[in-house]
Protein backbone atom coordinates (compact mmCIF):
# COMPACT_ATOMS: atom_id res chain seq x y z
CA UNK A 1 0.00 0.00 0.00
CA UNK A 2 2.81 2.39 0.90
CA UNK A 3 4.53 1.67 -2.42
CA UNK A 4 1.25 2.43 -4.26
CA UNK A 5 0.92 5.82 -2.52
CA UNK A 6 4.51 6.72 -3.41
CA UNK A 7 3.97 5.64 -7.03
CA UNK A 8 0.73 7.68 -7.26
CA UNK A 9 2.44 10.77 -5.81
CA UNK A 10 5.29 10.47 -8.33
CA UNK A 11 2.81 10.05 -11.16
CA UNK A 12 0.74 13.05 -10.02
CA UNK A 13 3.83 15.25 -9.73
CA UNK A 14 4.94 14.12 -13.19
CA UNK A 15 1.55 15.09 -14.63
CA UNK A 16 1.71 18.43 -12.83
CA UNK A 17 5.21 19.09 -14.17
CA UNK A 18 4.08 18.10 -17.67
CA UNK A 19 0.98 20.32 -17.49
CA UNK A 20 2.74 23.30 -15.89
CA UNK A 21 4.89 24.40 -18.85
CA UNK A 22 2.03 23.66 -21.26
CA UNK A 23 -0.33 25.82 -19.25
CA UNK A 24 2.31 28.59 -19.05
CA UNK A 25 2.92 28.30 -22.79
CA UNK A 26 -0.81 28.58 -23.37
CA UNK A 27 -1.01 31.70 -21.21
CA UNK A 28 1.99 33.28 -22.89
CA UNK A 29 0.55 32.64 -26.34
CA UNK A 30 -2.95 34.00 -25.75
CA UNK A 31 -2.17 37.57 -26.84
CA UNK A 32 -0.05 36.63 -29.86
CA UNK A 33 -2.76 34.29 -31.16
CA UNK A 34 -5.73 36.53 -30.33
CA UNK A 35 -7.28 39.03 -32.72
CA UNK A 36 -6.19 41.79 -30.31
CA UNK A 37 -2.82 41.90 -32.10
CA UNK A 38 -4.44 43.33 -35.22
CA UNK A 39 -5.41 46.58 -33.46
CA UNK A 40 -3.15 46.79 -30.40
CA UNK A 41 0.16 45.78 -32.01
CA UNK A 42 2.45 42.77 -31.69
CA UNK A 43 4.18 44.24 -28.61
CA UNK A 44 0.88 45.60 -27.21
CA UNK A 45 2.16 49.15 -27.74
CA UNK A 46 -0.80 50.16 -29.91
CA UNK A 47 -1.90 50.32 -33.52
CA UNK A 48 -5.46 51.11 -34.48
CA UNK A 49 -6.23 50.66 -30.79
CA UNK A 50 -4.44 52.02 -27.70
CA UNK A 51 -1.41 50.38 -26.03
CA UNK A 52 -2.22 47.54 -23.62
CA UNK A 53 1.27 46.98 -22.18
CA UNK A 54 1.43 47.42 -18.38
CA UNK A 55 -2.34 48.02 -18.40
CA UNK A 56 -3.74 49.65 -15.28
CA UNK A 57 -7.16 48.10 -15.84
CA UNK A 58 -8.28 45.54 -13.28
CA UNK A 59 -9.25 42.13 -14.59
CA UNK A 60 -12.96 42.99 -14.07
CA UNK A 61 -12.61 46.23 -16.07
CA UNK A 62 -10.57 44.42 -18.74
CA UNK A 63 -13.18 41.63 -19.02
CA UNK A 64 -16.02 44.16 -19.21
CA UNK A 65 -14.31 45.99 -22.10
CA UNK A 66 -13.67 42.74 -23.96
CA UNK A 67 -17.27 41.59 -23.58
CA UNK A 68 -19.01 44.93 -24.33
CA UNK A 69 -16.50 46.55 -26.69
CA UNK A 70 -15.56 50.22 -26.66
CA UNK A 71 -15.62 52.81 -29.45
CA UNK A 72 -14.71 51.01 -32.69
CA UNK A 73 -13.62 47.91 -30.75
CA UNK A 74 -16.21 45.15 -31.25
CA UNK A 75 -17.64 43.10 -28.40
CA UNK A 76 -16.13 39.61 -28.06
CA UNK A 77 -18.42 36.88 -26.65
CA UNK A 78 -17.23 34.09 -24.37
CA UNK A 79 -17.78 31.59 -27.18
CA UNK A 80 -14.89 33.23 -29.07
CA UNK A 81 -12.66 34.07 -26.09
CA UNK A 82 -13.42 32.26 -22.79
CA UNK A 83 -13.01 34.05 -19.45
CA UNK A 84 -9.94 31.95 -18.67
CA UNK A 85 -8.23 33.20 -21.84
CA UNK A 86 -9.22 36.79 -21.06
CA UNK A 87 -7.63 36.38 -17.61
CA UNK A 88 -4.46 34.93 -19.15
CA UNK A 89 -4.43 37.72 -21.73
CA UNK A 90 -4.84 40.38 -19.01
CA UNK A 91 -1.99 38.93 -16.96
CA UNK A 92 0.20 38.71 -20.05
CA UNK A 93 -0.22 42.31 -21.26
CA UNK A 94 0.11 43.56 -17.67
CA UNK A 95 3.62 42.12 -17.58
CA UNK A 96 4.65 43.43 -21.00
CA UNK A 97 7.15 46.32 -20.83
CA UNK A 98 6.18 49.88 -21.73
CA UNK A 99 8.49 51.01 -24.55
CA UNK A 100 7.66 54.56 -25.60
CA UNK A 101 9.63 54.34 -28.84
CA UNK A 102 7.45 51.44 -30.03
CA UNK A 103 4.20 53.43 -29.99
CA UNK A 104 3.43 53.52 -33.73
CA UNK A 105 2.54 56.63 -35.67
CA UNK A 106 -0.66 54.84 -36.69
CA UNK A 107 -1.92 55.04 -33.09
CA UNK A 108 -1.23 58.78 -32.90
CA UNK A 109 -3.03 59.29 -36.20
CA UNK A 110 -5.75 56.85 -35.17
CA UNK A 111 -6.56 58.93 -32.10
CA UNK A 112 -7.34 61.84 -34.43
CA UNK A 113 -9.50 59.50 -36.56
CA UNK A 114 -12.03 58.60 -33.92
CA UNK A 115 -15.57 57.85 -35.06
CA UNK A 116 -16.58 61.32 -33.83
CA UNK A 117 -13.86 63.20 -35.75
CA UNK A 118 -14.31 61.15 -38.96
CA UNK A 119 -18.06 61.85 -38.85
CA UNK A 120 -17.41 65.58 -38.55
CA UNK A 121 -14.88 65.43 -41.40
CA UNK A 122 -17.32 63.78 -43.78
CA UNK A 123 -20.17 66.07 -42.73
CA UNK A 124 -17.97 69.03 -43.72
CA UNK A 125 -17.00 67.40 -47.03
CA UNK A 126 -20.62 66.48 -47.82
CA UNK A 127 -21.72 70.04 -47.00
CA UNK A 128 -19.06 71.40 -49.35
CA UNK A 129 -20.12 69.00 -52.12
CA UNK A 130 -23.81 69.72 -51.50
CA UNK A 131 -23.39 73.50 -51.77
CA UNK A 132 -21.44 73.31 -55.02
CA UNK A 133 -23.66 70.52 -56.32
CA UNK A 134 -26.74 72.71 -55.87
CA UNK A 135 -24.88 75.58 -57.52
CA UNK A 136 -24.15 73.41 -60.59
CA UNK A 137 -27.77 72.22 -60.72
CA UNK A 138 -29.14 75.77 -60.49
CA UNK A 139 -26.81 76.83 -63.32
CA UNK A 140 -28.14 74.12 -65.67
CA UNK A 141 -31.76 74.70 -64.71
CA UNK A 142 -31.16 78.32 -65.60
CA UNK A 143 -29.75 77.33 -68.99
CA UNK A 144 -32.80 75.13 -69.53
CA UNK A 145 -35.13 78.11 -68.93
CA UNK A 146 -36.61 77.25 -65.55
CA UNK A 147 -37.55 80.87 -64.91
CA UNK A 148 -39.48 80.91 -68.19
CA UNK A 149 -41.29 77.70 -67.30
CA UNK A 150 -42.14 78.53 -63.70
CA UNK A 151 -45.16 80.83 -64.33
CA UNK A 152 -46.78 78.22 -66.57
CA UNK A 153 -46.23 75.45 -64.01
CA UNK A 154 -48.34 77.44 -61.58
CA UNK A 155 -51.18 77.51 -64.13
CA UNK A 156 -50.65 73.85 -65.03
CA UNK A 157 -50.77 72.79 -61.37
CA UNK A 158 -47.68 72.46 -59.16
CA UNK A 159 -48.83 69.20 -57.56
CA UNK A 160 -49.43 67.69 -61.00
CA UNK A 161 -46.04 68.92 -62.23
CA UNK A 162 -44.34 67.51 -59.12
CA UNK A 163 -45.86 64.10 -59.79
CA UNK A 164 -44.57 64.14 -63.38
CA UNK A 165 -41.10 65.22 -62.22
CA UNK A 166 -40.89 62.52 -59.53
CA UNK A 167 -41.96 59.82 -61.98
CA UNK A 168 -39.30 61.03 -64.41
CA UNK A 169 -36.62 61.01 -61.69
CA UNK A 170 -37.41 57.34 -61.00
CA UNK A 171 -38.01 56.10 -64.56
CA UNK A 172 -35.58 58.29 -66.52
CA UNK A 173 -33.06 59.03 -63.75
CA UNK A 174 -32.81 56.01 -61.46
CA UNK A 175 -33.83 53.36 -64.02
CA UNK A 176 -32.25 55.17 -67.02
CA UNK A 177 -35.13 53.91 -69.18
CA UNK A 178 -34.10 55.78 -72.34
CA UNK A 179 -30.66 54.12 -72.38
CA UNK A 180 -32.28 50.75 -71.65
CA UNK A 181 -34.46 51.10 -74.74
CA UNK A 182 -31.58 52.31 -76.92
CA UNK A 183 -28.62 50.13 -75.88
CA UNK A 184 -29.06 47.52 -73.17
CA UNK A 185 -25.37 46.69 -72.95
CA UNK A 186 -24.47 50.33 -72.31
CA UNK A 187 -27.36 50.50 -69.83
CA UNK A 188 -26.01 47.46 -67.97
CA UNK A 189 -22.46 48.85 -67.79
CA UNK A 190 -23.80 52.24 -66.72
CA UNK A 191 -25.93 50.48 -64.11
CA UNK A 192 -22.93 48.68 -62.64
CA UNK A 193 -21.49 52.03 -61.56
CA UNK A 194 -24.78 53.69 -60.62
CA UNK A 195 -26.33 50.82 -58.68
CA UNK A 196 -22.98 49.64 -57.33
CA UNK A 197 -22.32 53.11 -55.93
CA UNK A 198 -25.81 53.22 -54.40
CA UNK A 199 -25.17 49.76 -52.94
CA UNK A 200 -21.96 50.98 -51.29
CA UNK A 201 -23.82 53.94 -49.79
CA UNK A 202 -26.62 51.68 -48.53
CA UNK A 203 -24.07 49.23 -47.09
CA UNK A 204 -22.39 52.03 -45.14
CA UNK A 205 -25.75 53.20 -43.74
CA UNK A 206 -26.71 49.65 -42.71
CA UNK A 207 -23.26 49.14 -41.16
CA UNK A 208 -23.75 52.28 -39.05
CA UNK A 209 -27.09 50.91 -37.83
CA UNK A 210 -26.35 47.21 -37.29
CA UNK A 211 -22.57 47.17 -36.72
CA UNK A 212 -21.57 50.63 -35.45
CA UNK A 213 -18.36 49.30 -33.87
CA UNK A 214 -17.24 47.97 -37.28
CA UNK A 215 -16.48 44.55 -35.82
CA UNK A 216 -15.19 41.76 -38.04
CA UNK A 217 -18.01 39.96 -39.83
CA UNK A 218 -18.12 36.74 -41.79
CA UNK A 219 -17.67 37.18 -45.53
CA UNK A 220 -21.07 35.49 -45.92
CA UNK A 221 -22.77 38.03 -43.66
CA UNK A 222 -25.27 40.18 -45.65
CA UNK A 223 -23.53 43.32 -44.32
CA UNK A 224 -20.34 42.06 -46.00
CA UNK A 225 -21.88 40.59 -49.14
CA UNK A 226 -23.59 43.87 -50.11
CA UNK A 227 -20.45 46.09 -50.15
CA UNK A 228 -18.33 43.34 -51.75
CA UNK A 229 -20.80 42.75 -54.61
CA UNK A 230 -21.37 46.51 -55.00
CA UNK A 231 -17.62 47.16 -55.06
CA UNK A 232 -17.07 44.51 -57.74
CA UNK A 233 -19.91 46.04 -59.79
CA UNK A 234 -18.41 49.53 -59.55
CA UNK A 235 -14.94 48.28 -60.49
CA UNK A 236 -16.30 46.43 -63.54
CA UNK A 237 -18.20 49.51 -64.67
CA UNK A 238 -15.19 51.78 -64.13
CA UNK A 239 -12.93 49.52 -66.19
CA UNK A 240 -15.50 49.74 -68.99
CA UNK A 241 -15.44 53.55 -68.73
CA UNK A 242 -11.63 53.52 -68.89
CA UNK A 243 -11.90 51.35 -72.01
CA UNK A 244 -14.28 53.92 -73.53
CA UNK A 245 -11.80 56.68 -72.73
CA UNK A 246 -9.34 54.90 -74.99
CA UNK A 247 -11.75 54.01 -77.79
CA UNK A 248 -14.64 56.53 -77.88
CA UNK A 249 -13.73 59.59 -80.03
CA UNK A 250 -16.71 61.52 -78.56
CA UNK A 251 -15.88 61.04 -74.88
CA UNK A 252 -14.48 64.59 -74.66
CA UNK A 253 -17.30 67.07 -73.99
CA UNK A 254 -15.01 70.01 -74.66
CA UNK A 255 -14.55 71.18 -71.07
CA UNK A 256 -14.29 68.63 -68.27
CA UNK A 257 -12.30 65.72 -69.74
CA UNK A 258 -9.39 66.07 -67.31
CA UNK A 259 -11.66 66.40 -64.28
CA UNK A 260 -13.79 63.49 -65.49
CA UNK A 261 -10.69 61.32 -65.74
CA UNK A 262 -9.74 62.44 -62.20
CA UNK A 263 -13.15 61.33 -60.94
CA UNK A 264 -12.87 57.90 -62.58
CA UNK A 265 -9.40 57.40 -61.12
CA UNK A 266 -10.55 58.46 -57.64
CA UNK A 267 -13.40 55.97 -57.93
CA UNK A 268 -10.86 53.23 -58.76
CA UNK A 269 -8.69 54.20 -55.78
CA UNK A 270 -11.71 54.28 -53.45
CA UNK A 271 -12.90 50.79 -54.36
CA UNK A 272 -9.41 49.23 -54.51
CA UNK A 273 -8.40 50.71 -51.14
CA UNK A 274 -11.67 49.45 -49.63
CA UNK A 275 -10.95 45.90 -50.78
CA UNK A 276 -7.32 46.18 -49.62
CA UNK A 277 -8.42 47.28 -46.14
CA UNK A 278 -10.60 44.18 -45.77
CA UNK A 279 -8.01 41.79 -47.23
CA UNK A 280 -5.07 43.12 -45.18
CA UNK A 281 -7.11 43.20 -41.98
CA UNK A 282 -8.14 39.56 -42.46
CA UNK A 283 -4.63 38.46 -43.42
CA UNK A 284 -3.29 39.64 -40.05
CA UNK A 285 -0.89 42.25 -41.49
CA UNK A 286 -1.86 44.72 -38.76
CA UNK A 287 0.97 47.16 -39.51
CA UNK A 288 -0.52 47.95 -42.93
CA UNK A 289 -4.15 48.34 -41.88
CA UNK A 290 -3.92 51.98 -40.77
CA UNK A 291 -1.96 53.29 -43.82
CA UNK A 292 -4.35 51.57 -46.23
CA UNK A 293 -7.36 52.76 -44.23
CA UNK A 294 -6.04 56.34 -44.39
CA UNK A 295 -5.58 55.88 -48.13
CA UNK A 296 -9.21 54.73 -48.33
CA UNK A 297 -10.53 57.68 -46.32
CA UNK A 298 -8.48 60.11 -48.42
CA UNK A 299 -9.83 58.65 -51.66
CA UNK A 300 -13.43 58.91 -50.45
CA UNK A 301 -12.89 62.49 -49.28
CA UNK A 302 -11.43 63.59 -52.62
CA UNK A 303 -14.12 61.69 -54.54
CA UNK A 304 -16.92 63.50 -52.72
CA UNK A 305 -15.21 66.92 -52.73
CA UNK A 306 -14.53 66.87 -56.49
CA UNK A 307 -17.90 65.38 -57.53
CA UNK A 308 -19.64 68.71 -58.32
CA UNK A 309 -16.83 69.69 -60.71
CA UNK A 310 -16.63 66.49 -62.78
CA UNK A 311 -18.88 64.34 -64.93
CA UNK A 312 -20.17 62.78 -61.73
CA UNK A 313 -22.42 65.85 -61.53
CA UNK A 314 -24.50 64.38 -64.36
CA UNK A 315 -25.80 61.84 -61.82
CA UNK A 316 -28.10 64.56 -60.45
CA UNK A 317 -28.02 67.23 -63.20
CA UNK A 318 -29.20 65.08 -66.12
CA UNK A 319 -32.14 63.48 -64.22
CA UNK A 320 -33.23 66.96 -63.09
CA UNK A 321 -33.06 68.32 -66.66
CA UNK A 322 -34.92 65.32 -68.06
CA UNK A 323 -37.59 65.72 -65.37
CA UNK A 324 -37.88 69.37 -66.39
CA UNK A 325 -38.28 68.27 -70.01
CA UNK A 326 -41.13 65.92 -69.03
CA UNK A 327 -42.87 68.74 -67.18
CA UNK A 328 -42.29 71.07 -70.15
CA UNK A 329 -43.79 68.52 -72.54
CA UNK A 330 -46.81 68.02 -70.29
CA UNK A 331 -47.37 71.77 -69.92
CA UNK A 332 -46.96 72.26 -73.68
CA UNK A 333 -49.39 69.41 -74.39
CA UNK A 334 -51.95 71.16 -72.19
CA UNK A 335 -52.06 73.99 -74.74
CA UNK A 336 -49.68 76.52 -73.20
CA UNK A 337 -47.20 78.09 -75.62
CA UNK A 338 -43.82 78.31 -73.86
CA UNK A 339 -41.52 79.25 -76.71
CA UNK A 340 -39.17 76.33 -75.95
CA UNK A 341 -39.46 72.59 -75.37
CA UNK A 342 -36.08 70.98 -74.78
CA UNK A 343 -33.23 71.31 -72.31
CA UNK A 344 -29.67 71.81 -73.60
CA UNK A 345 -27.31 68.83 -73.34
CA UNK A 346 -24.36 69.79 -71.06
CA UNK A 347 -21.74 68.65 -73.59
CA UNK A 348 -23.37 70.45 -76.52
CA UNK A 349 -23.76 73.58 -74.42
CA UNK A 350 -20.00 73.88 -73.77
CA UNK A 351 -19.23 73.37 -77.45
CA UNK A 352 -21.95 75.84 -78.46
CA UNK A 353 -20.49 78.47 -76.14
CA UNK A 354 -17.07 77.95 -77.71
CA UNK A 355 -18.52 78.24 -81.22
CA UNK A 356 -20.52 81.35 -80.29
CA UNK A 357 -17.45 83.02 -78.79
CA UNK A 358 -15.49 82.17 -81.95
CA UNK A 359 -18.18 83.76 -84.12
CA UNK A 360 -18.25 86.91 -81.97
CA UNK A 361 -14.46 87.19 -82.08
CA UNK A 362 -14.58 86.85 -85.85
CA UNK A 363 -17.00 89.78 -85.93
CA UNK A 364 -15.14 91.75 -83.27
CA UNK A 365 -11.54 90.61 -82.57
CA UNK A 366 -11.48 92.71 -79.37
CA UNK A 367 -14.57 90.99 -77.91
CA UNK A 368 -13.79 89.20 -74.61
CA UNK A 369 -17.24 88.06 -73.49
CA UNK A 370 -19.23 87.04 -71.65
CA UNK A 371 -21.25 84.84 -74.01
CA UNK A 372 -24.78 83.88 -72.97
CA UNK A 373 -26.84 81.32 -74.86
CA UNK A 374 -30.63 81.01 -74.86
CA UNK A 375 -32.45 77.99 -76.26
CA UNK A 376 -35.57 78.19 -78.42
CA UNK A 377 -37.03 75.92 -81.14
Amino acid sequence: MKQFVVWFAVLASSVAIAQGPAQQAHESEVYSTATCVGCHGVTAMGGLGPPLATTKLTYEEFLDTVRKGKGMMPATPATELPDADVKALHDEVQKMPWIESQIPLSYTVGRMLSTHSVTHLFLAVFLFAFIFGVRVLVYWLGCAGWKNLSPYVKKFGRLRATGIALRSLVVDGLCVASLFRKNRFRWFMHGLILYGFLGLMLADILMQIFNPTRGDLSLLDPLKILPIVSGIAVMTGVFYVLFRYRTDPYIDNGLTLGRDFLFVNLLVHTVVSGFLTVIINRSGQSGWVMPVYLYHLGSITLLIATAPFTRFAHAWVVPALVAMTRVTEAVTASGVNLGFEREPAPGRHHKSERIALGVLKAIDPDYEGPTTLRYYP
Side-chain angles (χ1 to χ4, degrees):
M1 183 67 179
K2 184 176 180 180
Q3 288 178 340
F4 175 77
V5 171
V6 171
W7 175 83
F8 182 80
V10 171
L11 179 63
S13 62
S14 300
V15 171
I17 292 171
Q19 287 183 339
Q23 179 69 22
Q24 291 174 0
H26 171 70
E27 291 179 358
S28 65
E29 291 176 359
V30 172
Y31 181 77
S32 62
T33 58
T35 56
C36 315
V37 174
C39 289
H40 297 282
V42 176
T43 59
M45 286 305 298
L48 288 175
L52 294 179
T54 64
T55 179
K56 298 297 187 285
L57 295 175
T58 64
Y59 166 66
E60 290 73 20
E61 293 170 334
F62 193 85
L63 178 64
D64 186 65
T65 302
V66 170
R67 293 288 176 252
K68 297 180 180 179
K70 186 175 182 180
M72 293 185 71
M73 172 182 170
T76 305
T79 52
E80 295 183 17
L81 192 68
D83 287 359
D85 284 352
V86 177
K87 180 65 171 67
L89 196 153
H90 174 262
D91 294 343
E92 184 181 347
V93 297
Q94 201 172 41
K95 295 173 185 176
M96 286 183 170
W98 180 274
I99 306 173
E100 193 80 23
S101 61
Q102 290 190 7
I103 297 179
L105 178 63
S106 59
Y107 172 62
T108 306
V109 175
R111 293 182 67 181
M112 297 186 291
L113 293 176
S114 64
T115 305
H116 184 74
S117 60
V118 170
T119 300
H120 278 76
L121 169 65
F122 279 105
L123 280 176
V125 174
F126 270 111
L127 180 61
F128 173 86
F130 176 77
I131 291 172
F132 282 92
V134 169
R135 185 180 176 185
V136 169
L137 180 60
V138 169
Y139 167 77
W140 283 111
L141 289 175
C143 290
W146 169 253
K147 291 182 180 179
N148 301 75
L149 178 64
S150 184
Y152 300 101
V153 168
K154 185 177 180 180
K155 297 177 183 179
F156 178 75
R158 289 177 178 171
L159 187 62
R160 185 180 172 189
T162 301
I164 294 171
L166 290 176
R167 182 179 184 279
S168 175
L169 289 174
V170 173
V171 176
D172 300 310
L174 184 61
C175 298
V176 202
S178 60
L179 185 58
F180 179 80
R181 290 189 292 267
K182 183 178 180 181
N183 188 323
R184 294 192 179 184
F185 175 75
R186 287 277 297 275
W187 173 85
F188 177 75
M189 301 309 292
H190 178 94
L192 288 176
I193 298 180
L194 174 62
Y195 304 128
F197 198 81
L198 291 176
L200 289 175
M201 294 177 63
L202 177 61
D204 192 65
I205 293 171
L206 293 175
M207 192 71 75
Q208 291 283 1
I209 296 173
F210 297 106
N211 187 26
T213 60
R214 303 285 174 162
D216 284 338
L217 300 172
S218 166
L219 290 177
L220 297 179
D221 190 287
L223 287 179
K224 276 292 185 185
I225 293 176
L226 178 58
I228 289 174
V229 172
S230 299
I232 292 173
V234 172
M235 280 299 295
T236 306
V238 167
F239 283 137
Y240 172 70
V241 170
L242 292 173
F243 171 75
R244 282 192 61 205
Y245 268 102
R246 292 182 60 87
T247 59
D248 189 344
Y250 303 105
I251 197 74
D252 185 1
N253 68 5
L255 182 69
T256 63
L257 180 64
R259 288 176 285 171
D260 297 340
F261 196 66
L262 171 65
F263 165 72
V264 172
N265 276 276
L266 285 174
L267 195 56
V268 171
H269 284 281
T270 299
V271 177
V272 169
S273 60
F275 279 121
L276 282 177
T277 302
V278 174
I279 293 170
I280 291 174
N281 186 46
R282 290 186 175 273
S283 67
Q285 302 297 321
S286 56
W288 288 97
V289 173
M290 176 57 77
V292 175
Y293 183 58
L294 289 175
Y295 164 40
H296 183 57
L297 289 180
S299 298
I300 295 175
T301 302
L302 288 173
L303 182 70
I304 296 170
T306 59
F309 313 103
T310 68
R311 184 166 288 185
F312 186 49
H314 86 297
W316 65 87
V317 171
V318 171
L321 292 177
V322 173
M324 184 175 164
T325 296
R326 301 301 181 209
V327 173
T328 300
E329 290 172 341
V331 174
T332 303
S334 70
V336 178
N337 181 17
L338 300 179
F340 69 98
E341 293 185 358
R342 299 287 176 180
E343 88 290 346
R348 293 201 304 271
H349 174 78
H350 293 309
K351 293 176 182 177
S352 299
E353 276 190 333
R354 191 167 57 190
I355 293 169
L357 183 59
V359 171
L360 290 171
K361 278 187 171 294
I363 298 172
D364 181 5
D366 297 326
Y367 182 78
E368 296 296 338
T371 303
T372 303
L373 300 182
R374 291 290 179 263
Y375 294 86
Y376 298 98

